[in-house]
Amino acid sequence: MTYQDVWYRSDDGLKLYARDYANGAAQLTLLCMHGLSRNSADFGDLAAELQGEYRAVAVDQRGRGRSEWDGNSANYTPARYVSDMLTLIERLALEELVLVGTSMGGIMAMMMASAQPGRFRGVILNDIGPVVSGQGLARIMGTVGKAPPVRTWDDAIDQAKALNGIAFPNYRREDWAHWVRRTYAENAAGEPRLLYDPAIAEPLRSSGSNAVPPDAWPMFEAMRDVPVLTLRGALSDILDEACFAEMQQRHPRLTPVTVPQVGHAPMLDEAGVVDRIRAFLGRIHAG
């Protein structure tokens, strides 16, 4: 697995980062957008699996990973992130794009695909839909930006399991260690720290139940001419079964996939998931 570091400036001056898993012969490019408190490393395994066939560009949204923190927390919103993605698309001259969005990244993908019909070849939504379950939203609001500091990597593993174990009941300690390597980094004192600005949660908490745009169903239906693959963790407390079923009824080109024994959100390395994504991309490539 190889990627190139991409640094670029947002239109309001922040230095932002992305990983470019290049493939000069690729006919499709995946723009991979992570969830609220995550970063580009979440897509490393998926990009490695697909790099022989496709190009993938995985981003760190502002305030996450290697991207700069924003001094104005009011800018930590999907609309602002979408603007940053359009800047990146222009910076890299990306074409033939498939949007891949986990959770918050999926909200961004719906916003982008509905606002610019015909620009994107397909959309992959990972455990997100037009309705966010209140139970899951409350859980996220109660944890993001509130985790106490840890001193050792073993402590970080314990913390990751405590915060996310409900979604991954079958994870072993080595799985949590892999999780931690993607979501923590050492600070100057050699202690692990989560790779995000705690202030990313402030707009979410102030908006409460309006975390998803209130017109999300019309936005989703505006994508009806775009092929969509929607993955749902069987244990998800964000994308509930009723919303998942309604999405299938409202979108004639939606391919539904349930990922067993995981909650919000599948890591895309679960058994069979890459095969389903590869098949979806193959259908798009074939026209």
Side-chain angles (χ1 to χ4, degrees), residues 188-209:
E191 298 170 336
R193 290 292 181 267
L194 284 161
L195 282 169
Y196 66 81
D197 178 358
I200 60 172
E202 291 180 9
L204 177 64
R205 293 193 177 98
S206 64
S207 64
S209 61

Side-chain angles (χ1 to χ4, degrees), residues 157-205:
I157 291 170
D158 292 338
Q159 183 177 79
K161 181 178 180 180
L163 293 175
N164 304 284
I166 189 173
F168 300 94
N170 296 328
Y171 265 24
R172 300 163 297 178
R173 192 163 184 83
E174 52 263 42
D175 298 315
W176 290 116
H178 184 49
W179 175 294
V180 163
R181 287 193 293 271
R182 292 182 296 215
T183 53
Y184 292 71
E186 285 189 357
N187 62 13
E191 298 170 336
R193 290 292 181 267
L194 284 161
L195 282 169
Y196 66 81
D197 178 358
I200 60 172
E202 291 180 9
L204 177 64
R205 293 193 177 98

